[in-house]
Amino acid sequence: MYHQIQLNRRRSVLIVVLFVLLWSGLGYLAGFIAGGTGGGFAGVGIGLLLALAVMVYSLLFGKATVLAISGARPADPAQYAQLHNLVETLALGAGLPKPEVYVINDPTPNAFATGLSPKASAVTVTTGLLQMMNREELEGVLGHEMSHIRNHDVRVVLIVATMVGLAALLASLLWRSMFSLRRVDERVALLLIVAGAILTVIGLVVGPLMQLALSRSRESLADASSVELTRNPLGLLHALQKIAQNDKPLEKFNHTTAAMFIDNPLEHHKHWFHDLFDTHPPIEERIATLEAITGVQQT
């Protein structure tokens, strides 16, 4: 288990490095078009500064941004006493500080964890999850989310999500500026087109592929870690079986943060294109794995 955690960390760091190199390449290409080789090297510096700025933003405001985008609000300790109690118990069992606890007012059962470290993390669940799950099942879901925090994979996912979101935002701004400018120098127009195209590819193709590479392995690992933490595979097994019956996505979610959820909201809109970018193993596969673990424990 710990070998897999270390391998997952190294893979995550590699993906972030590749993303930074991609931003540097974008800067070089844009600079080269604007001013030749000298401009290209200047563009590399600008690309690196932008990548670092995104990481600094993630460090300072990433968690708050994700929670705000998701419509999460702090869970009142009196109203959600059982939720707080389970989170505190699991945190104690995992040897972690108790994370902040949030709730999203949405009937769809789902949950996610975010943050930069165990000391600055948050666990969020929907009201639909709280209504649908019994205590054992809720414990299984929370164990899954606490495992993301314990496995230290929430930080890199948060940084990558911010990078993807920024690329998509910049691409949108560039395309809009193209249509709003009536007269523009040909070189400037070419620069805007190239930058917009590359940012669009990063936001719509490269970013989701990186999230896919991060999420598939970490979701399977979090399922297994939840069983280890709760010592009860039936809780998460039954929870995933209930979640699998839901066919309604969350009312409010962002494409860049969807991969953080225990059940990716985007994967309810099934067609061939989305299948290419599924960030989670099929839920039937996850259920089968937990059934196999349950069978082994019962023999």
Side-chain angles (χ1 to χ4, degrees), residues 145-222:
E145 299 307 331
M146 289 297 299
S147 295
H148 280 313
I149 297 172
R150 186 177 66 169
N151 296 348
H152 294 271
D153 58 12
V154 288
R155 175 190 301 159
V156 70
V157 173
L158 182 60
I159 293 174
V160 170
T162 307
M163 287 181 170
V164 173
L166 179 63
L169 176 62
L170 290 176
S172 176
L173 292 175
L174 283 174
W175 292 123
R176 289 181 182 180
S177 67
M178 282 289 295
F179 290 105
S180 62
L181 294 175
R182 296 182 179 180
R183 293 182 180 180
V184 63
D185 182 79
E186 290 184 2
R187 178 171 290 186
V188 175
L190 179 60
L191 176 62
L192 291 174
I193 292 172
V194 172
I198 295 176
L199 285 168
T200 299
V201 171
I202 292 175
L204 298 181
V205 180
V206 178
L209 285 174
M210 289 185 172
Q211 289 180 317
L212 182 154
L214 284 171
S215 299
R216 279 187 178 255
S217 59
R218 78 186 188 97
E219 288 302 320
S220 298
L221 182 58

Side-chain angles (χ1 to χ4, degrees), residues 223-240:
D223 285 347
S225 298
S226 175
V227 173
E228 180 186 54
L229 180 60
T230 63
R231 304 180 188 277
N232 177 21
L234 288 175
L236 183 58
L237 170 60
H238 292 158
L240 289 180

Side-chain angles (χ1 to χ4, degrees), residues 125-146:
V125 301
T126 64
T127 53
L129 184 86
L130 295 175
Q131 293 170 359
M132 184 178 293
M133 305 296 165
N134 61 33
R135 182 184 178 89
E136 181 183 54
E137 293 159 354
L138 179 59
E139 181 184 51
V141 172
L142 292 174
H144 174 100
E145 299 307 331
M146 289 297 299

Side-chain angles (χ1 to χ4, degrees), residues 60-71:
L60 297 177
F61 308 109
K63 184 182 75 173
T65 301
V66 168
L67 292 170
I69 288 173
S70 304

